[in-house]
Amino acid sequence: MHAFTHARTHAARTAELAAEAAAWHLAHETAPLTPALRDRLGEALVAAGIRLMQPAHVHARIQQRAA
């Protein structure tokens, strides 16, 4: 059971990293962004960074409460 929980947590964190990388590439490779879009993108990157800095057990507990 622990291995499954760990694998699921790892998969979620990997997905967050992929989303953050995609957002970064989008921000740096597209035409100039409007200020509002740039702000929303920045907020999303900060939120993803904060989630990634949390220990895995805290992150898993937050997701369990949301489900």
Side-chain angles (χ1 to χ4, degrees):
M1 183 67 168
H2 175 72
F4 176 73
T5 303
H6 177 74
R8 188 174 62 192
T9 301
H10 180 71
R13 291 174 66 85
T14 301
E16 288 175 357
L17 277 173
E20 183 179 1
W24 187 90
H25 285 290
L26 178 67
H28 288 88
E29 294 178 359
T30 59
L33 299 175
T34 64
L37 182 57
R38 187 175 53 239
D39 290 346
R40 290 184 65 197
L41 182 59
E43 290 171 3
L45 288 172
V46 169
I50 289 171
R51 284 192 306 271
L52 289 171
M53 288 188 301
Q54 294 174 344
H57 68 278
V58 172
H59 184 73
R61 193 176 325 136
I62 291 170
Q63 287 200 348
Q64 287 174 352
R65 288 182 186 164

